[in-house]
């Protein structure tokens, strides 16, 4: 398996534009997570899905952020409209049923810069 | 208060020395614990799970103290390649599936 695949790796956009980040989890994993990482706030969990259903979106900063998982092999995180404070590295991760022996596998991240 | 808290460091460690640091968690329903490692500008990767009785993986030893709600990581005989940020991760039974990360502790091993 190629691991968790995220695209794009880098995104530079102007304030006010729509940004869509994409993620393909590892096949067979039931859980998918979207994290945001900044120097100031560390790694924040934005939302996670179980079997394509959003379980907890309490970390989504505001209505400008939305996430979907239309099927087991694809998820998107959308920011509309984007703002400079959204600049961060966005990671997608997937795992099987979480327990002490489970690993969350991360994609390489999308580095978003909003100017 | 954050659910998982770590000393951000940096911990500056001479090569060959031992370094140890803790992570505290606030949710008493926490059941699964992990240490992840993150290299600069890379994604986090699992270093080791933390078992109730404590466990070792080579030069790395992890401990869990449920009474005081913290986990620890000890690195013996530090190598230059151990320089990284170490992230504490917790899963609680009242939010099952949710990998909750600390902000990380930076370790810098110097020659």
């Amino acid at each position: 398996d190629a691991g968790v695949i995220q695209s794009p790796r880098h995104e530079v956009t102007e304030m006010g534009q729509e940004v869509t980040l994409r993620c393909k989890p590892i096949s067979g994993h039931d859980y998918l997570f979207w994290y945001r990482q900044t120097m100031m706030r560390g790694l924040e969990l934005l939302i996670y899905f179980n079997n394509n259903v959003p379980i907890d979106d309490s970390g989504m900063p505001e209505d400008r952020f939305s996430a979907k998982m239309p099927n087991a092999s694809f998820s998107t995180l959308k920011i509309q409209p984007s703002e400079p404070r959204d600049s961060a590295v966005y990671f997608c991760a997937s795992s099987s049923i979480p327990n002490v022996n489970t690993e969350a596998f991360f994609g390489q991240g999308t580095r978003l810069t909003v100017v | 208060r954050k659910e998982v808290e770590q000393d951000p460091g940096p911990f500056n460690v001479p090569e060959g020395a031992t370094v140890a640091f803790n992570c505290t968690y606030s949710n008493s329903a926490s059941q699964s614990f992990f240490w992840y490692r993150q290299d600069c500008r890379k994604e986090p990767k699992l270093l080791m799970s933390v078992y109730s009785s404590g466990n070792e993986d080579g030069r790395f030893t992890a401990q869990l103290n449920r009474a005081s709600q913290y986990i620890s990581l000890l690195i013996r005989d530090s190598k230059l390649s151990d320089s990284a940020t170490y992230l504490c991760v917790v899963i609680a039974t009242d939010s099952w599936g949710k990998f909750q990360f600390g902000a990380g502790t930076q370790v810098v091993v110097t020659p």
Side-chain angles (χ1 to χ4, degrees), chain A residues 33 35 37 56 98 100-101 104, chain B residues 36 38 49 51 96-99:
Chain A
F33 308 84
Y35 290 89
Q37 188 172 40
D56 184 346
V100 72
N101 296 308
Chain B
Y36 276 64
Q38 186 174 25
S49 300
Y51 297 103
W96 202 240
K98 189 173 179 178
F99 285 80

Side-chain angles (χ1 to χ4, degrees), chain A residues 31 33 35 37 41-43 45 48 56 58 91 95 98-104 106-108 111, chain B residues 2 32-34 36 38 41-44 46 49-51 87 91 95-101 103:
Chain A
Y31 286 81
F33 308 84
Y35 290 89
Q37 188 172 40
R41 301 172 72 92
L43 198 62
L45 178 62
Y48 74 100
D56 184 346
S58 59
F91 286 106
S95 78
N99 57 47
V100 72
N101 296 308
T102 300
E103 179 176 356
F106 282 74
Q108 293 182 298
R111 188 170 297 273
Chain B
K2 290 185 177 181
S32 296
F33 308 88
F34 312 84
Y36 276 64
Q38 186 174 25
R41 302 179 77 85
K42 298 285 191 180
E43 72 274 21
L46 178 66
S49 300
V50 184
Y51 297 103
L87 302 165
I91 302 177
S95 55
W96 202 240
K98 189 173 179 178
F99 285 80
Q100 194 75 10
F101 281 74

Side-chain angles (χ1 to χ4, degrees), chain B residues 15-89:
Chain B
E15 196 174 5
T18 295
V19 61
F21 41 89
N22 295 338
C23 159
T24 59
Y25 59 93
S26 60
N27 189 343
S28 58
S30 298
Q31 277 297 324
S32 296
F33 308 88
F34 312 84
W35 284 104
Y36 276 64
R37 170 190 169 128
Q38 186 174 25
D39 294 306
C40 188
R41 302 179 77 85
K42 298 285 191 180
E43 72 274 21
K45 293 184 179 179
L46 178 66
L47 177 67
M48 58 195 300
S49 300
V50 184
Y51 297 103
S52 296
S53 55
N55 48 297
E56 272 187 25
D57 184 358
R59 297 180 294 104
F60 297 83
T61 300
Q63 295 281 351
L64 168 62
N65 186 316
R66 287 192 186 275
S68 300
Q69 297 191 185
Y70 73 88
I71 65 173
S72 64
L73 182 66
L74 182 146
I75 308 173
R76 286 187 303 277
D77 188 23
S78 298
K79 311 292 185 191
L80 296 176
S81 57
D82 294 333
S83 296
T85 296
Y86 292 85
L87 302 165
C88 169
V89 187

Side-chain angles (χ1 to χ4, degrees), chain A residues 30-36 44-60 66-69 75-77 91-98 104 106, chain B residues 3 27 90-101:
Chain A
D30 296 325
Y31 286 81
L32 183 139
F33 308 84
W34 281 102
Y35 290 89
R36 176 173 71 176
E44 302 173 277
L45 178 62
L46 301 178
I47 184 172
Y48 74 100
F49 296 82
N50 178 23
N51 291 323
N52 313 336
V53 176
I55 301 301
D56 184 346
D57 65 355
S58 59
M60 296 285 262
S66 62
K68 294 183 179 179
M69 191 165 187
S75 176
T76 60
L77 178 68
F91 286 106
C92 174
S94 71
S95 78
S96 53
I97 297 174
F106 282 74
Chain B
E3 288 193 39
N27 189 343
V90 171
I91 302 177
T93 53
D94 58 359
S95 55
W96 202 240
K98 189 173 179 178
F99 285 80
Q100 194 75 10
F101 281 74

